Amino acid sequence: MSAAIRAEFRKFFTTRLWWGMAIAVILSGAAFAVLFALVFTSDIARGPQGAAVPTTDAALAKAVFTGGIQIGYLLTLAIGVMTIGAEYRHQTITATFLAVPRRGRVMGAKVISLLVIGAFYGVLSLAGAVGAGALVLTAKGHHPFADSSIWRTLALSLLVLGLWALIGLGAGILIPNQVAALLISIAVAWIVEPVLGLVLALTDWGQNISPYLPSRATAAMLESTSGGFDGQPVDQLSWWAGALVLAAYAAVMAGLGTWRTVRRDIA
Amino acid sequence: MDPAGPEPTGRIEVRGLTKHFGSFTAVDHLDLDVAPGRITGFLGPNGAGKTTTLRMLLGLVRPTAGTATIDGRRYADIPNPLTVVGSALEATNFHPGRTGRNHLRVQAAASGVSDKRVDELLELVGIPAAARKRAGGYSMGMRQRLGLAAAMLGDPHVLILDEPANGLDPEGIRWLRGFLRHLADEGRTLLISSHMLSEVEQTVDDVVIIANGRRVAQGTVEELRGEPTAFVRTSDPDRLTAALQQRGLRVAPKGSGLQVTTEDLAVVGDIAHASDVAIHELRSEQTHLEELFFNLTETEGDRNRLTGATSARAGGSPDLPPPTLPPPSGPPVDPSVIAAPPADAKETGR
Ligand SMILES: Nc1ncnc2c1ncn2[C@@H]1O[C@H](COP(=O)(O)OP(=O)(O)OP(=O)(O)O)[C@@H](O)[C@H]1O
Ligand SMILES: [Mg+2]
């Protein structure tokens, strides 16, 4: 198993994808942290209309530090898709299964390596976000590390990126064409699903469902408040429930992908 | 290691192997034996089912029925298989953004092989420098060499190569022949597929021919090749026949001329000259093997006819070779004929 995991890491770090992604993750982490820090501390946002704006220093810091996490998880989602999609597209999957014919083992190695890779990008994202965000917050007279729950948010954001990568892994298998898989999963995760969440939240019955959507579960996990169409904060799960829900999505997607992969002919 | 070298291992056994793709039967109750320590050519026209068979043997494609084992084990049951079986498949591709060397290093990591071996192999196949460039720009020949290096990574004693000569220039093919011979001389078992007889005929010991997913012939090259014959057309067949027979040559009428069992055209010419017979045509004939293979590829488009022709099941089928063919001098091709050389009595699997 450890040999298969090592092979997965080598695959990942021997194409140019990884450092392109690394730069994107650091920059987006920093940029969104600065943006959120400036907006949330501005007088307009703090005025009567800004109902969804974090009020405590701790909430403010969490929102700022995880401001770039959506871009981050979209990128690791793409990495998850490409981890398997590129193997089929370039037919390296043949070599992979020749070396390790136990396909479940290969999939296990992919899952573990993606969780580590997610954490790796999480560290990069936070390096950008905490560095830039803390600077702005301090300058604006807010305490960037007001209480210890911030550390939990930071730690969980590493897990968030890994779990989304696993969702991508499943999507990359279930949608056979890599380009289609990338487009569909990004479009769904970025636009369709968040909008669906907002729309659902408008109805009585949908209100109970929307907190369980992946993006809402992610926000809950990171305790970053977000507003609905009316600007009011929407209901969300507690951080641990959010983590469990997102982990369940990841497990289901990776599980379906594994199930499919084990049976598929490599022709 | 004893001087005689290790006992050859690497018996490949395929029994009743069948693969349906939907309603299409790509491989049809195929039986196949590869004897340890020998080079076996796996021949068939395009679409005959060679690649599908090899992929089933390597656990990449799930058979509809039948078994395929290497030293008695399914590929997936071999622990760390790259150290036992090396393979280079037709469609094995490389990530265009990864260097060839890194491709091998990925495989090395997956099978616990040292990175040093990667560089040794790149030397061996002659692409040490080029392999540091991204694979996207590789020529077909480089891909084949890289594929061979990948197959050799775990120093396996069984090698399964799908169309290794594809895309190689004549120089490359010569190099490949030498390389394969060298591997065989080291006692390794080789199974090499090709859709071109001429590519492998000089290299292999044994031949298996399939068409439409069924085995058509199996035997040693000598058996299948039959004795070399010459075709001669003359003004006076009777006189020439007598003269040739007098010199101990076998002669039979064939079409508008005679078929003489010899590979030496000069002998026929000289005898004709000595007995004052005019020659109108004199040429070497295709070997039985060539003709057999040629007939298969020629009728390739005619699926029904071919299927009918092979329906009596492979091996010794009276329908094949087609009736127009000269009978092979060897015994009828039968699965039992190719039964392994005595090296058999070795332990399987290690
Ligand atoms: N995944 C697949 N789905 C449907 N049909 C397939 C599939 N793979 C192969 N076939 C069909 O099975 C037949 C055998 O294909 P295969 O690739 O095994 O032939 P081959 O002997 O390797 O031919 P070639 O000399 O062209 O490489 C072909 O007719 C091919 O179209
Ligand atoms: Mg083929």
Side-chain angles (χ1 to χ4, degrees), chain B residues 29-344:
Chain B
H29 294 92
L30 186 71
D31 292 340
L32 175 73
D33 285 285
V34 174
R38 291 173 72 87
I39 311 189
T40 300
F42 186 38
L43 297 170
N46 290 125
K50 304 180 294 291
T51 301
T52 307
T53 301
L54 297 185
R55 285 186 172 263
M56 284 192 279
L57 178 56
L58 294 168
L60 296 168
V61 167
R62 179 183 289 241
T64 306
T67 57
T69 57
I70 297 157
D71 282 339
R73 287 179 296 187
R74 292 186 316 137
Y75 187 85
D77 294 334
I78 303 175
N80 203 3
L82 289 194
T83 59
V84 179
V85 183
S87 47
L89 288 173
E90 190 181 42
T92 297
N93 257 307
F94 309 104
H95 191 296
R98 187 178 291 134
T99 67
R101 183 164 175 263
N102 276 331
H103 175 83
L104 293 190
R105 287 163 70 104
V106 167
Q107 292 298 88
S111 52
V113 170
S114 79
D115 291 343
K116 207 172 115 245
R117 171 124 181 107
V118 168
D119 290 321
E120 286 167 11
L121 279 168
L122 290 173
E123 290 282 348
L124 186 69
V125 300
I127 52 170
R132 288 167 189 267
K133 299 201 182 82
R134 274 190 274 275
Y138 287 3
S139 68
M140 191 65 186
M142 277 197 61
R143 285 168 184 275
Q144 289 286 23
R145 286 170 192 249
L146 188 56
L148 276 181
M152 295 293 299
L153 200 60
D155 197 16
H157 59 266
V158 179
L159 279 156
I160 296 173
L161 309 175
D162 196 7
E163 312 255 4
N166 245 7
L168 292 183
D169 53 21
E171 166 57 33
I173 291 183
R174 201 161 40 241
W175 169 84
L176 179 69
R177 280 201 188 122
F179 188 69
L180 297 180
R181 255 300 140 210
H182 170 72
L183 295 177
D185 290 345
E186 292 177 331
R188 298 181 214 256
T189 305
L190 272 69
L191 178 60
I192 304 166
S193 90
S194 177
H195 63 273
M196 281 172 56
L197 176 66
S198 57
E199 257 173 21
V200 297
E201 201 184 352
Q202 271 98 63
T203 316
V204 303
D205 306 312
D206 300 323
V207 173
V208 177
I209 300 178
I210 67 166
N212 294 302
R214 291 164 178 248
R215 196 183 61 200
V216 177
Q218 172 164 358
T220 66
V221 172
E222 291 81 55
E223 278 165 10
L224 291 177
R225 196 182 273 152
E227 285 179 73
T229 55
F231 178 82
V232 58
R233 215 149 49 75
T234 170
S235 55
D236 191 345
D238 292 343
R239 192 146 140 216
L240 184 60
T241 303
L244 289 166
Q245 280 173 343
Q246 206 181 357
R247 296 283 293 268
L249 293 170
R250 268 191 285 140
V251 187
K254 183 185 183 189
S256 59
L258 303 169
Q259 185 181 53
V260 190
T261 309
T262 179
E263 59 183 335
D264 195 348
L265 296 182
V267 167
V268 179
D270 289 348
I271 294 173
H273 180 70
S275 45
D276 241 4
V277 189
I279 285 190
H280 298 161
E281 184 180 353
L282 176 59
R283 58 179 163 83
S284 290
E285 285 192 312
Q286 285 184 316
T287 60
H288 173 67
L289 182 57
E290 280 165 344
E291 203 155 345
L292 173 62
F293 196 72
F294 181 76
N295 278 300
L296 283 174
T297 43
E298 273 304 281
T299 47
E300 189 190 348
D302 192 355
R303 187 159 283 285
N304 285 336
R305 210 191 116 193
L306 248 194
T307 310
T310 54
S311 63
R313 287 305 305 277
S317 154
D319 296 358
L320 277 161
T324 53
L325 283 179
S329 59
V333 184
D334 182 273
S336 58
V337 168
I338 195 168
D344 241 349

